[in-house]
Amino acid sequence: MRRFVLVLLGFGFVMMLGEQRASATETVADSCTEGFTKLVDAMKEECQSLADASKQRLELLKTYDPDKDGHDATKDATLKDLNERIGKLKDARPLLARGLCTATPRNCNTLASTVSISLDQRVGAELASSLAAPRKSQAQGAANEAAASDRQTSNNKSGSSAQIDPVESIQPITLAGGAVALSGTRSGTKGVGVISVNPLALAAPNDAVAGRIFDISVSAPFDLQHGTDEDRRYISVRLRANLTAPISAEALRNKVSEWVKAEGRYADDIEGVLAHAEDVAVCAEVIARTGKPSKTACGEELDDTEVARVRTAAYAEMDAARRAADKYYLGLDARLDAGDPTGPEVAGDKGTHLLGGIASGVRLSQSQRWDWELRGRAAGDYFDSRDDSLGTRPKPVYSVDWGAAFIFSGRLENHAKQRMAFGMGVEGRQSASDKSDARQTPTNFVNLNLMAVVPAVSGGDLGLAVSIPLAEDGVKRGALISMSTDLGLLDHSSN
Amino acid sequence: MDKSSGSIEASPVCDTAGNMTTTVQDPITEASSYVVRFRNNVTSTGAVLVVVAWVPNHANAVPVPQQTMIAPGATGELSGIVPPAANARRMLIVASLDGGEGGRLTLLENGEARAIDDVTETTTWHLLVAVKS
């Protein structure tokens, strides 16, 4: 019986504590709701004016895009007027007018989320001021650097008779692409079809890291005169990977994550401050205006140095990522060829061919529209002959493969969507194997490659290339003249 | 979400300093679908980076930041579903531009244009996450 009474008493005590806690929570919630309502009531007129002007502005912009459709003097004047009206309201009550008028629910949590934005505004303004001076002096340099990040992606046709670029880039295609090339070779006119796919970009189109890592290309020739028979069965697979992409994009993601987490922690702290403030409305207004709570208005202060630090770091990383994303690249170039790329007319090129190496490139801006690009490649090469026409098959041949090129590319006018490009380079292969074997395989050569690419249709271009052997000790391939159409299928960057 | 005020778009400028703009937009409702679209002008001198991130509420889990790089003349998008208001306080949209770039930043909520702005400098939009009514 005594135990039962004790349990009852204990239960009653717990209930009482619970009620007290609920009451305290309600008081805090009521206090924040009251503060919220007080602030919104004080801005009723501003809220309505802002809402009207903002609505008019959005409706106008929905149908008016001056950069796309051209400027309309009347609409420009209306837009200017609306911007001024909105600007004046903002000046009167920065942040609160926009943040509080439409925010729900009207509790401490929402109030903290709203007023904590002010810290971001303050740090952003400080950051902008600190960057303004150096940026001004570097304006031209920055503009030129920015131009370099306009990357050109193309299908990977490296090492085939469809190759147009003097040395192929290893920057992956944006999503997917296709190319058809016609090549004049010493064994007749050949056609080559190429499909390039960026699987990670297709799987995760919003992921900047994934979309910049690698692509795979498959190409196969077709003979315009004889079709594809047993002797011409040939397929090539190319993989190129840009290893600098994940480094820059991952760092960016981490910095942004740190930034938003710090902002979240700061807003949590502000929520606590507001909950205990004597006058929530006054405290919130002070935070909104100054970016942080003051002891006089809120009863306590908060340390905002960490948020300011990670915010600045995140912005610096964004800036760096944007500029560097496409300016430099360094990565892998891997190729597999199986079969006979030129048919029986050229003896010695039928076999299994593997190439693996590193490739890199850098863009050097010359003006707002034009830039130079330098490309290079160094690789190891393996060729295992399967050519029965040679009598005795040569042993597998190991070679060093290399290439270097410069490309001048740009747009004829600012409004041009596609680029023109002209390039020149040399590619070569030197065997490290027995000379007699090497003589019967496609190695020991140096080719001079010339390229011209002109915009053709939206999202595509037309390329013309000439490859002239400067030295040719192995299988004689002869000069090549190739014409290729390059289409960026599903490639939004070329729209 | 209270839209009685009729306000569905914000001022182009809430706070501008030098080459950075911070704007507070009207709240975005939890569980709605969003698309952040940026059309980089053909006259832009370089790529524009667009980032979407979520400020956590009481250290709750939020989606990882999304990012995309958009070439001149191209249009890029980031899309998804707004996380619960219990998990995310705010949505952050950043369009990172340098001297010479310009374009149109648009936010769609459930397929409807919610905010549009023509930007010429690094711009940050803040949107509170509102509880679904």
Side-chain angles (χ1 to χ4, degrees):
Chain A
M1 184 62 186
R2 188 182 294 168
R3 190 175 293 172
F4 178 71
V5 171
L6 280 173
V7 168
L8 268 180
L9 280 172
F11 183 71
F13 182 67
V14 169
M15 288 291 286
M16 194 177 72
L17 276 180
E19 271 176 28
Q20 276 182 347
R21 192 167 296 163
S23 168
T25 312
E26 275 168 24
T27 311
V28 167
D30 285 350
S31 144
C32 283
T33 309
E34 275 170 27
F36 217 123
T37 311
K38 201 172 147 187
L39 284 167
V40 175
D41 282 349
M43 295 185 299
K44 246 179 191 166
E45 248 178 66
E46 287 169 302
C47 285
Q48 197 53 53
S49 303
L50 181 65
D52 293 343
S54 297
K55 191 176 181 183
Q56 280 181 51
R57 186 174 179 276
L58 178 65
E59 291 307 319
L60 177 62
L61 286 173
K62 274 183 184 174
T63 54
Y64 178 52
D65 189 347
D67 282 307
K68 204 172 166 188
D69 312 320
H71 283 271
D72 178 310
T74 317
K75 287 177 179 171
D76 280 344
T78 311
L79 201 55
K80 193 181 168 199
D81 177 53
L82 287 169
N83 285 343
E84 278 173 9
R85 275 170 57 193
I86 294 166
K88 274 179 194 166
L89 289 166
K90 292 291 178 196
D91 291 341
R93 294 260 183 173
L95 175 65
L96 290 175
R98 168 55 58 189
L100 296 181
C101 293
T102 53
T104 55
R106 293 179 167 179
N107 56 25
C108 267
N109 189 272
T110 314
L111 191 57
S113 297
T114 309
V115 296
S116 63
I117 299 171
S118 58
L119 171 67
D120 194 72
Q121 289 181 312
R122 182 170 62 74
V123 175
E126 287 166 7
L127 181 61
S129 304
S130 68
L131 290 173
R135 284 222 176 165
K136 202 173 176 184
S137 64
Q138 293 167 5
Q140 189 54 47
N144 289 344
E145 264 192 51
S149 53
D150 173 16
R151 79 176 163 152
Q152 262 191 308
T153 60
S154 64
N155 294 281
N156 189 354
K157 304 180 284 287
S158 58
S160 75
S161 53
Q163 180 177 327
I164 297 293
D165 289 40
V167 169
E168 200 77 60
S169 164
I170 55 149
Q171 284 183 294
I173 199 154
T174 310
L175 285 172
V180 176
L182 295 177
S183 295
T185 72
R186 73 188 185 103
S187 56
T189 306
K190 308 287 177 190
V192 181
V194 185
I195 296 282
S196 295
V197 177
N198 184 332
L200 293 180
L202 286 172
N206 297 329
D207 191 324
V209 181
R212 285 164 184 276
I213 297 176
F214 79 98
D215 70 358
I216 298 171
S217 300
V218 177
S219 66
F222 53 90
D223 192 317
L224 295 173
Q225 289 147 342
H226 304 102
T228 301
D229 59 26
E230 189 68 26
D231 291 328
R232 291 180 181 81
R233 279 187 185 166
Y234 164 81
I235 192 159
S236 77
V237 181
R238 304 281 185 259
L239 184 144
R240 53 185 173 180
N242 182 5
L243 301 180
T244 54
I247 298 166
S248 57
E250 196 58 46
L252 171 62
R253 182 182 292 167
N254 291 340
K255 295 280 184 205
V256 172
S257 291
E258 280 176 34
W259 169 32
V260 287
K261 278 179 188 166
E263 291 239 359
R265 283 195 299 271
Y266 191 72
D268 293 346
D269 291 344
I270 283 186
E271 191 179 334
V273 170
L274 287 168
H276 297 103
E278 260 185 46
D279 189 329
V280 173
V282 170
C283 177
E285 192 148 2
V286 164
I287 298 171
R289 286 188 184 282
T290 63
K292 56 181 175 182
S294 77
K295 199 156 188 172
T296 329
C298 305
E300 58 181 303
E301 289 175 344
L302 283 178
D303 183 11
D304 57 11
T305 48
E306 173 63 9
V307 193
R309 187 188 65 76
V310 291
R311 208 267 202 198
T312 307
Y315 267 67
E317 191 63 38
M318 278 185 226
D319 209 29
R322 178 168 44 75
R323 291 183 188 207
D326 300 310
K327 188 176 179 183
Y328 308 97
Y329 55 89
L330 171 71
L332 300 176
D333 185 353
R335 308 173 188 177
L336 166 69
D337 300 77
D340 193 344
T342 53
E345 291 86 349
V346 178
D349 64 347
K350 182 178 179 180
T352 304
H353 178 215
L354 282 167
L355 181 145
I358 56 166
S360 68
V362 60
R363 280 203 181 183
L364 307 168
S365 296
Q366 298 303 301
S367 69
Q368 203 170 322
R369 298 197 303 259
W370 293 87
D371 59 68
W372 286 102
E373 184 177 343
L374 305 177
R375 293 179 187 173
R377 179 186 74 246
D381 188 275
Y382 165 89
F383 186 82
D384 184 13
S385 174
R386 289 194 284 120
D387 207 325
D388 293 324
S389 65
L390 297 169
T392 311
R393 279 195 201 179
K395 288 178 190 164
V397 171
Y398 295 89
S399 306
V400 173
D401 183 278
W402 56 272
F406 58 86
I407 292 161
F408 187 57
S409 74
R411 293 182 290 266
L412 278 178
E413 53 186 22
N414 280 333
H415 290 272
K417 288 189 178 180
Q418 290 164 268
R419 297 166 74 93
M420 296 183 81
F422 305 94
M424 187 165 87
V426 281
E427 287 187 313
R429 195 172 295 161
Q430 267 68 51
S431 74
S433 303
D434 183 80
K435 277 187 181 172
S436 61
D437 289 328
R439 213 163 283 139
Q440 298 178 80
T441 54
T443 187
N444 291 335
F445 62 81
V446 177
N447 293 330
L448 171 67
N449 298 338
L450 305 170
M451 169 195 82
V453 174
V454 292
V457 291
S458 180
D461 55 43
L462 193 65
L464 181 69
V466 180
S467 179
I468 304 160
L470 300 176
E472 211 172 22
D473 288 342
V475 171
K476 303 278 185 294
R477 187 201 59 159
L480 285 177
I481 299 176
S482 302
M483 196 170 76
S484 173
T485 61
D486 212 309
L487 296 172
L489 307 171
L490 307 173
D491 188 347
H492 63 76
S493 73
S494 55
N495 285 338
Chain B
M1 185 184 153
D2 179 15
K3 283 190 178 175
S4 56
S5 65
S7 171
I8 50 172
E9 211 273 329
S11 147
V13 176
C14 191
D15 175 37
T16 303
N19 43 18
M20 226 174 266
T21 302
T22 308
T23 309
V24 186
Q25 302 285 349
D26 274 354
I28 189 161
T29 310
E30 62 181 2
S32 58
S33 66
Y34 69 86
V35 175
V36 176
R37 183 178 294 154
F38 190 86
R39 192 212 62 231
N40 195 356
N41 290 340
V42 291
T43 50
S44 285
T45 51
V48 169
L49 171 72
V50 176
V51 175
V52 171
W54 302 90
V55 176
N57 192 3
H58 294 289
N60 289 333
V62 289
V64 292
Q66 296 170 288
Q67 51 205 291
T68 186
M69 198 79 76
I70 302 150
T75 300
E77 284 184 358
L78 294 170
S79 59
I81 302 292
V82 178
N87 292 353
R89 285 181 180 276
R90 274 188 271 134
M91 180 188 198
L92 274 173
I93 301 169
V94 185
S96 177
L97 288 77
D98 207 335
E101 289 99 22
R104 174 161 283 204
L105 183 61
T106 305
L107 169 70
L108 292 98
E109 184 180 1
N110 293 328
E112 274 289 307
R114 273 284 316 278
I116 303 172
D117 215 351
D118 293 317
V119 301
T120 53
E121 59 187 3
T122 293
T123 299
T124 307
W125 283 359
H126 295 264
L127 295 95
L128 297 188
V129 178
V131 176
K132 196 175 182 180
S133 52

